[in-house]
């Protein structure tokens, strides 16, 4: 049984994870962290520094400003962390990477198994298509999402960029009077309603297009991936892990 401290337990994703965890035998949420300490079937603390319950891993679905307190708690209690929060600055990402030298750390911009399969497809095809195709990414999310482009869109764009030898530039949306340059990857963000998450990668060539699209119909897809990550991280050694490790472990 993997015992989990859930940071952001009363947020949208936190509630979905809590509900799903009740149906899985191998995981148990033993404590929650949230500014909203509304009652649950496990104790909830307003700050992780107040948590006095032992666990095997911290699962974080909160906000970037919680990072420092999570790092401090992880160090003090020698406990690994699964970071699912997006919108981190470059400095914060460096802190996470540095932490992985002393603790088992998992970080992924998207916990969906499907989106990570798509990401692996991009690793294999982007360099083959780049010469003859322009590449654009369109991502759609609900109207409460605070960061744009989404962490997933950046993940996909970085994957494409890493496979191409040219100096690739990201363009966040387009405006004005200017021709598209071939070494650009356009990233377009749409916010509205209750869209859970859609990501489409468009390869546009002369007379043909190739579209790869992932649609999250329910937040459960992220919850399933997050809990799988927690199981995967059980008793892992220090290091930096991601969804590729989880997918490989399942196969």
């Amino acid at each position: 049984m993997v015992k989990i401290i859930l940071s952001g337990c009363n947020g949208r994703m936190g509630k979905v994870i809590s509900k799903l965890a009740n149906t899985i035998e191998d995981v148990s949420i033993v404590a929650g962290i949230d500014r909203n300490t509304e009652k649950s079937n496990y104790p909830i603390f307003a700050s992780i520094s107040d948590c006095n319950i032992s666990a095997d891993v911290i699962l974080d679905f909160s906000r970037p400003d919680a990072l420092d307190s999570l790092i401090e708690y992880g160090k003090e209690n020698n406990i690994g962390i699964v970071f699912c929060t997006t919108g981190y600055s470059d400095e914060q990402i460096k802190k996470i990477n540095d932490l992985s030298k002393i603790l088992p750390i998992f970080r992924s911009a998207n916990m969906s198994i499907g989106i990570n399969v798509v990401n692996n497809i991009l690793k294999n095809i982007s360099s083959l298509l780049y010469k003859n195709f322009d590449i654009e990414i369109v991502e759609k999310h609900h109207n409460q999402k605070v960061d744009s482009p989404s962490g997933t869109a950046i993940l996909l764009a970085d994957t494409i960029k890493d496979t191409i030898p040219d100096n690739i530039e990201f363009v966040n949306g387009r405006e004005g009077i200017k021709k598209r340059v071939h070494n650009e990857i356009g990233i377009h963000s749409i916010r509205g309603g209750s869209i859970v998450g859609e990501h489409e990668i468009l390869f546009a060539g002369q007379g043909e297009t190739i579209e790869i699209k992932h649609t999250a119909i329910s937040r459960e897809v992220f919850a399933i991936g997050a809990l799988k990550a927690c199981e995967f991280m059980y008793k892992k050694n220090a290091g930096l892990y991601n969804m590729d490790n989880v997918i490989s472990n399942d196969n």
Side-chain angles (χ1 to χ4, degrees):
M1 176 74 71
V2 181
K3 295 182 290 184
I4 301 168
I5 296 173
L6 178 56
S7 175
C9 61
N10 277 327
R12 289 186 179 188
M13 273 305 307
K15 290 179 178 179
V16 175
I17 291 168
S18 295
K19 183 177 179 181
L20 184 64
N22 289 331
T23 69
I24 300 175
E25 291 183 359
D26 296 333
V27 300
S28 175
I29 299 175
V30 295
I33 311 300
D34 204 289
R35 293 172 183 171
N36 173 12
T37 55
E38 176 185 331
K39 289 184 179 179
S40 179
N41 58 349
Y42 50 78
I44 299 176
F45 303 89
S47 170
I48 194 165
S49 61
D50 297 328
C51 181
N52 58 2
I53 297 175
S54 63
D56 300 306
V57 65
I58 300 167
L59 174 57
D60 177 47
F61 259 108
S62 57
R63 295 176 69 93
D65 58 14
L67 179 62
D68 287 344
S69 61
L70 291 169
I71 289 175
E72 184 177 350
Y73 187 90
K75 288 179 178 178
E76 288 179 355
N77 294 274
N78 194 32
I79 181 171
I81 307 174
V82 174
F83 288 107
C84 304
T85 298
T86 60
Y88 288 122
S89 67
D90 290 343
E91 181 183 355
Q92 288 176 314
I93 291 172
K94 184 180 183 304
K95 287 182 179 181
I96 293 171
N97 292 341
D98 289 343
L99 186 64
S100 70
K101 297 172 183 176
I102 59 174
L103 291 175
I105 298 298
F106 182 105
R107 189 175 81 85
S108 178
N110 190 303
M111 300 306 295
S112 157
I113 292 172
I115 203 73
N116 284 279
V117 171
V118 167
N119 194 49
N120 280 317
I121 292 171
L122 294 176
K123 291 177 184 178
N124 294 321
I125 69 170
S126 298
S127 62
L128 300 175
L129 296 175
Y130 171 70
K131 181 178 178 181
N132 298 305
F133 290 80
D134 295 321
I135 306 171
E136 301 277 307
I137 297 172
V138 180
E139 56 99 347
K140 304 176 185 177
H141 284 88
H142 54 86
N143 58 19
Q144 299 301 301
K145 186 170 178 61
V146 296
D147 58 316
S148 60
S150 69
T152 303
I154 295 170
L155 167 71
L156 300 174
D158 282 339
T159 293
I160 296 169
K161 180 179 180 178
D162 289 344
T163 70
I164 296 170
D166 284 5
N167 183 25
I168 299 298
E169 295 183 7
F170 298 153
V171 177
N172 295 325
R174 296 190 182 277
E175 64 178 356
I177 303 171
K178 182 185 177 183
K179 258 186 166 182
R180 186 191 195 283
V181 180
H182 183 61
N183 70 332
E184 294 176 350
I185 295 178
I187 306 175
H188 311 276
S189 300
I190 295 172
R191 298 288 178 266
S194 58
I195 300 171
V196 175
E198 294 182 17
H199 293 85
E200 180 179 1
I201 305 95
L202 172 68
F203 294 87
Q206 292 298 318
E208 62 180 338
T209 61
I210 300 170
E211 298 177 25
I212 301 174
K213 182 177 181 181
H214 178 272
T215 301
I217 298 170
S218 164
R219 286 185 174 81
E220 271 200 10
V221 299
F222 309 122
I224 291 168
L227 292 173
K228 278 183 173 290
C230 289
E231 290 184 75
F232 170 81
M233 291 292 284
Y234 183 63
K235 293 188 176 179
K236 282 289 185 293
N237 295 323
L240 187 61
Y241 304 90
N242 59 35
M243 282 302 290
D244 284 346
N245 302 116
V246 175
I247 293 170
S248 298
N249 190 61
D250 279 349
N251 293 330

